[in-house]
Amino acid sequence: MTAPRPAAVIILAAGEGTRMKSATPKVLHAIGGRTLLGHAVAAARGLDPRHLVIVVRHGRDLVAAHVAALDPQAAIVDQDEVKGTGRATECALDALPAELEGTVLVTSGDVPLLSTQTLRGLLEAHVASGSAATVITATLADPSGYGRILRAADGSVEGIVEQKDATDEQGEIEEINSGLYAFDVAVLRTALTQVGTDNAQGEKYLTDVLGIVRAQGLRVSAHLVQDVWETEGVNDRVQLSRLGTELNRRIVERWMRAGVSVVDPSTTWIDVDVTFGRDVTVHQQTQIHGASTIGDDVVLGPDTTLTDVSIGRGATVVRTHGSLAVIGEGATVGPFSYLRPGTELGAKGKIGTFVETKNAQIGAGSKVPHLTYVGDATIGEQSNIGASSVFVNYDGVNKMHTTIGSHCRTGSDNMFVAPVSVGDGAYTGAGTVVRKDVPPGALAINVAPQRNLLGWVHRKRAGTASAQAAAAACKDSPIVPEDSAILPEGNASA
């Protein structure tokens, strides 16, 4: 049997969210690497609705821009001055074709754990029962803040009462309205014209539709869900954190069941769009964000944060912060590495301790082991960059590129002043400042001859521990007198 397809899904995202106490609209706060609204859109799109409509008002331009980037096919509708979920839904219906038939689902932009599966269950139950309206409900031991489901003697839904309008007896009801509905679109259009604003808030409630529909003799059903997390909305930052923690717990558990070893789930955070291969090991205090892709047999962490990275099979990344980087198969990174956008490390390459890279392509088998900055550079295959090297890529105005060939060996404490190239198979000496291109197979050095100023400590640091140590070491040979001339190397004193 073919699963039913909704005529439309309407997502209500017009609320101000004053309890968030934020300049950012509530639906643009994020958990699991997506905004609250992003989660709602993903759940709705999973049903392949003929129309997707998002109602906006507070922070309208910010929310609309986010929707346009998130789902360009979604329709953006503005709610007018009339308040309430009923009016918001009415505005959305006005934007849909007048001849539209079938089922319309109404969801909320602040219920991030709601899944496509649960929405599909609502849709199927609604269609199978022949109902004009169906509401998702849940039972809570503490239903404070939620509208209560009013049941008729036969168990059907008689209506919904908001907490502010509830009597004391109604306030004791534990079955709550989730704010998630399925309606016959024609019935919904008609019923909304009969909804008024005579209530404590002076708003046009969508919940009033259920009583109107029932009064018309049409069927109103409840679709009770057991997973109450899917019905929980975000009203403040405490709830945002709670739902973020629960979402992460579910993501981590799903990947562990799929073959990923997570050493400490309580300190591991994985965004919803991250993907893993098999036999990955994730150590404690590791966060993997964005659309990162992790290959088979990779070891991550501890103490690692990665965003939008791609890691090949068998690589190891330890105590590293990285974003928009590519790490090849069998490569090693860290500890204490910083991979900035544009970093590409080839197969079996190495980026080591206290190394920072940016816009750097490092070839297969090449190593940048320690204490080095590589920016705006290309390094060939099987080359080794000496410790404490800096790729000097910025002159204060322009960024410029450095190229190191394959099978090169560069000395420690090198400065590569871009733009400059080092040819294949070339070497550079320790302490070299490379300002000119180095031909293939050449050795580049620019070290001045060393001079030893004999007796300097005896004259300039007399009485110090250094002077005493030097005197003890030289007790069998004279220290140069204070009035002796210090001449350049190769000359003799008179």
Side-chain angles (χ1 to χ4, degrees), residues 110-131:
D110 64 355
V111 186
L113 267 61
L114 176 66
S115 66
T116 295
Q117 181 180 359
T118 293
L119 283 178
R120 184 174 290 112
L122 167 65
L123 177 62
E124 291 174 349
H126 174 78
V127 173
S129 65
S131 298

Side-chain angles (χ1 to χ4, degrees), residues 135-151:
V135 57
I136 287 181
T137 67
T139 55
L140 299 178
D142 179 9
S144 300
Y146 290 91
R148 308 303 203 275
I149 298 295
L150 304 180
R151 294 272 189 172

Side-chain angles (χ1 to χ4, degrees), residues 4 6 102-105 118-135 181-185 187 213 219-223:
T103 301
V104 58
L105 302 185
T118 293
L119 283 178
R120 184 174 290 112
L122 167 65
L123 177 62
E124 291 174 349
H126 174 78
V127 173
S129 65
S131 298
T134 305
V135 57
Y181 307 92
F183 296 101
D184 176 88
V185 64
V187 171
V213 170
R219 182 180 179 86
V220 178
S221 300
H223 182 61

Side-chain angles (χ1 to χ4, degrees), residues 69-90:
L70 189 68
D71 191 330
Q73 302 304 312
I76 300 169
V77 173
D78 292 285
Q79 184 174 355
D80 57 22
E81 298 298 326
V82 180
K83 296 180 180 180
T85 53
R87 181 55 185 164
T89 303
E90 199 169 29

Side-chain angles (χ1 to χ4, degrees), residues 39 75 88 91 123 142 229 250 270 325 344 376 419 435 456:
H39 287 287
C91 291
L123 177 62
D142 179 9
W229 285 102
R250 295 179 181 211
I270 302 171
E344 297 180 14
D376 296 299
R435 297 179 181 275
W456 184 88

Side-chain angles (χ1 to χ4, degrees), residues 23-39:
T24 300
K26 178 175 70 172
V27 295
L28 298 189
H29 286 262
I31 59 173
R34 286 182 190 163
T35 62
L36 301 181
L37 183 54
H39 287 287

Side-chain angles (χ1 to χ4, degrees), residues 393-416:
N393 59 331
Y394 184 49
D395 65 3
V397 177
N398 300 305
K399 294 287 184 72
M400 290 168 288
H401 199 80
T402 295
T403 300
I404 307 293
S406 296
H407 299 279
C408 294
R409 299 292 181 267
T410 68
S412 296
D413 197 27
N414 277 195
M415 302 288 124
F416 299 96

